[in-house]
Amino acid sequence: MFREHLQKMVENVEGGQSALLMGFDGIAVESFSREDAPDPDIQTVGMEFSFIFGQIKKAAEILEIGGIVEVTIQAEHLVIIIRALTDEYFAAITLSEHGNYGKARFLLRVTAPRLLKDL
Amino acid sequence: MFREHLQKMVENVEGGQSALLMGFDGIAVESFSREDAPDPDIQTVGMEFSFIFGQIKKAAEILEIGGIVEVTIQAEHLVIIIRALTDEYFAAITLSEHGNYGKARFLLRVTAPRLLKDL
């Protein structure tokens, strides 16, 4: 169930590499990577950024700007889009630097409620 | 010089609130806010996220995904787009949650080299 949704996201976007459903505690529920996806693996990416997402949440509380909906990190060799699903879980997708960012963001947004349904 | 560029960005995007040029040490070089921009003020936002940007940089080093180009944080009541200019400085723009995210991102991208020229 989760894996299918993650796989669809990755396969339907140009440059899509991996997708992940993870707890903010850094423990993955499910993930999918294209066979030819380069390092780093998506679980390692998820663990690093689950910690950072926690820091961003704290900053948002201090600033009183509401809950965090989405965080995007564009590095030179990887784009990471993270979307909060609940207080405990998030979904993420990674793309190559030339991937279709807008489409990935859209797919993550429409996939979120499908993942949420089964959480 | 800096202020003009920041002001143009904010005024040319629907929902634009504030813009900022800041060091990663959290010290602002220049900022501009619309008169009716709500709290939190842009310098406080910048300080919080300059720290987080540093954490993201460290994660990117561990993951070997290259330097950080852009970070976007979408909270319930504020959207923040941060773009690295050099190893020392970044520019940021904030929008209301219904602001034109794509245009803000575009304007920040084209304004970056103009700010960089005078750094």
Side-chain angles (χ1 to χ4, degrees):
Chain A
M1 42 182 210
F2 293 133
R3 195 177 157 84
E4 251 175 71
H5 292 307
L6 297 174
Q7 182 168 356
K8 258 194 206 167
M9 271 202 299
V10 172
E11 291 182 345
N12 282 319
V13 61
E14 299 82 341
Q17 292 186 353
S18 302
L20 172 83
L21 172 63
M22 187 176 249
F24 283 112
D25 57 3
I27 297 174
V29 177
E30 187 63 274
S31 67
F32 172 81
S33 290
R34 272 187 205 267
E35 272 183 38
D36 58 353
D39 280 340
D41 82 277
I42 183 67
Q43 305 228 2
T44 310
V45 173
M47 276 191 293
E48 285 293 335
F49 287 106
S50 63
F51 171 73
I52 285 166
F53 205 103
Q55 305 268 28
I56 293 174
K57 271 185 175 179
K58 276 183 214 157
E61 273 167 35
I62 292 166
L63 298 170
E64 299 181 347
I65 56 175
I68 299 296
V69 179
E70 192 186 273
V71 172
T72 303
I73 292 145
Q74 190 188 335
E76 285 171 300
H77 310 306
L78 195 72
V79 177
I80 304 147
I81 310 174
I82 301 168
R83 198 170 176 88
L85 299 176
T86 67
D87 279 350
E88 285 170 89
Y89 295 100
F90 67 93
I93 183 166
T94 63
L95 305 177
S96 69
E97 67 270 37
H98 305 298
N100 188 333
Y101 167 82
K103 190 162 179 192
R105 209 168 153 244
F106 167 76
L107 287 174
L108 188 57
R109 184 175 304 168
V110 298
T111 304
R114 292 172 200 158
L115 296 169
L116 204 50
K117 205 165 56 72
D118 293 325
L119 271 177
Chain B
M1 44 183 209
F2 293 133
R3 195 177 157 85
E4 252 175 70
H5 292 308
L6 298 173
Q7 181 168 356
K8 257 193 206 167
M9 271 203 299
V10 172
E11 290 182 346
N12 282 320
V13 60
E14 299 83 340
Q17 292 186 352
S18 303
L20 172 83
L21 172 63
M22 189 176 246
F24 283 112
D25 57 3
I27 296 174
V29 178
E30 187 61 275
S31 67
F32 171 81
S33 289
R34 271 187 206 267
E35 271 183 38
D36 58 352
D39 280 340
D41 82 277
I42 183 67
Q43 304 228 4
T44 311
V45 172
M47 276 190 295
E48 286 293 335
F49 287 106
S50 63
F51 172 72
I52 284 166
F53 205 103
Q55 305 268 33
I56 293 174
K57 272 184 173 179
K58 275 183 214 157
E61 273 168 34
I62 293 167
L63 297 170
E64 298 180 349
I65 56 175
I68 299 295
V69 179
E70 191 186 272
V71 173
T72 303
I73 292 145
Q74 189 188 336
E76 283 170 300
H77 309 306
L78 195 72
V79 177
I80 304 148
I81 310 174
I82 301 168
R83 198 170 175 88
L85 299 178
T86 68
D87 279 351
E88 284 171 88
Y89 296 99
F90 67 93
I93 183 166
T94 62
L95 305 175
S96 69
E97 67 269 37
H98 305 299
N100 188 333
Y101 167 81
K103 191 163 179 193
R105 209 169 152 243
F106 166 76
L107 287 174
L108 187 57
R109 184 175 303 169
V110 297
T111 304
R114 292 172 201 158
L115 295 169
L116 204 49
K117 203 165 56 73
D118 293 324
L119 270 176

